[in-house]
Amino acid sequence: RGAASTTPSPPATTVPPAASTTAQMQYELTFCLWTLSLEFRNSARIAGDFASCATVEVVSDQIAAAPREKVLRVSLATLRNLCLGVVLSSTEGVASKMIKAGLPKTLRTLRERPFTDPDVKDDVEHLSKILATNYRELSTFERYVAELDSGDLQWASLCHSESFWKENAKLAEADDFKLIKQLVTIVKAALDAANDDPDVPKNAAIACSDLGDFVRFYPNGKAVIKHLGAKDYIMKLIDHHDPDVQRHALQCVSKLLVTNWQFVK
């Protein structure tokens, strides 16, 4: 793709109507970030400033908010430039931050949308490939952390199994059981009748499954779950309208009731 096609057009010189002021401002500010991103690889100062200001996370959130196409175009182009300056296998790299910010889920949605500018589609495909490569190069536990941070849990990731928790349950105690607290938050979200996000039931079912396996393989995991108030939330989900949530909530509660796992095949 030529230089002319990759360079976003400069902001219009005319004053935009009041209704489009916010979109125009987003475009102009992101255009500034795009300009700086061209020097990301060559300037340690710019790279440091981008990291300290959580630029990747902010731009990823902006893309998820489904802005106007011109804002989306320059936002995607900015992230694409940033990816050129990192080692993809580094879990602290730009691509890893995008995964944690939930960008893969956003990109899957964008791939289904029609765009007038072919550069948008090209950037979506390019970023999707970069993030997929980065995800494959993470360790299994790092994948789990990234998936949990993204808020989009998937059965297909293979991180939600007894074998995974048997191997990694001890790692979940880091940062005062941060991962377990995140799972509890996901479970709690399913109790909010006003939350109409279609992914909530799926995430809740997976979270219940993970919490049940954590209880089984982490010493005194039952006490941790009770201390965080998760048991009450999970018991309420047994009456959830989604059958998968009901089933996994019931299985999780059953595991909470087991006293000695050595007698359970």
Side-chain angles (χ1 to χ4, degrees), residues 89 91 100 135 137-147:
S89 60
T91 59
K100 292 181 180 180
Y135 185 81
E137 293 180 355
L138 297 176
S139 71
T140 305
F141 186 74
E142 288 169 338
R143 292 183 192 181
Y144 183 77
V145 173
E147 184 179 324

Side-chain angles (χ1 to χ4, degrees), residues 159-201:
C159 296
H160 312 286
S161 64
E162 289 187 358
S163 60
F164 170 82
W165 283 101
K166 185 176 182 179
E167 181 180 348
N168 297 288
K170 192 70 175 176
L171 298 178
E173 66 186 16
D175 296 327
D176 193 25
F177 295 97
K178 177 184 176 182
L179 294 182
I180 304 304
K181 290 177 179 177
Q182 287 178 276
L183 289 172
V184 174
T185 299
I186 291 173
V187 168
K188 188 177 180 180
L191 296 173
D192 183 2
N195 193 334
D196 57 357
D197 186 335
D199 287 333
V200 167

Side-chain angles (χ1 to χ4, degrees), residues 27 31 44-45 52 58 68 94 134 188 230 237:
Y27 174 76
F31 182 86
R45 179 179 178 181
S52 63
V58 171
R68 293 189 180 181
V94 170
N134 182 264
K188 188 177 180 180
L237 288 182

Side-chain angles (χ1 to χ4, degrees), residues 7-28:
T7 305
S9 303
T13 55
T14 56
V15 178
S20 62
T21 300
T22 300
Q24 184 65 21
M25 184 177 295
Q26 285 181 317
Y27 174 76
E28 293 177 7

Side-chain angles (χ1 to χ4, degrees), residues 64-84:
R68 293 189 180 181
E69 185 168 319
K70 68 176 184 178
V71 179
L72 185 63
R73 171 165 58 99
V74 74
S75 299
L76 290 167
T78 299
L79 294 185
R80 180 171 182 169
N81 285 342
L82 297 184
C83 281
L84 297 176

Side-chain angles (χ1 to χ4, degrees), residues 19-49:
S20 62
T21 300
T22 300
Q24 184 65 21
M25 184 177 295
Q26 285 181 317
Y27 174 76
E28 293 177 7
L29 292 174
T30 310
F31 182 86
C32 292
L33 292 176
W34 175 83
T35 304
L36 290 171
S37 73
L38 295 172
E39 295 298 321
F40 184 74
R41 286 176 293 176
N42 305 318
S43 173
R45 179 179 178 181
I46 290 177
D49 288 344

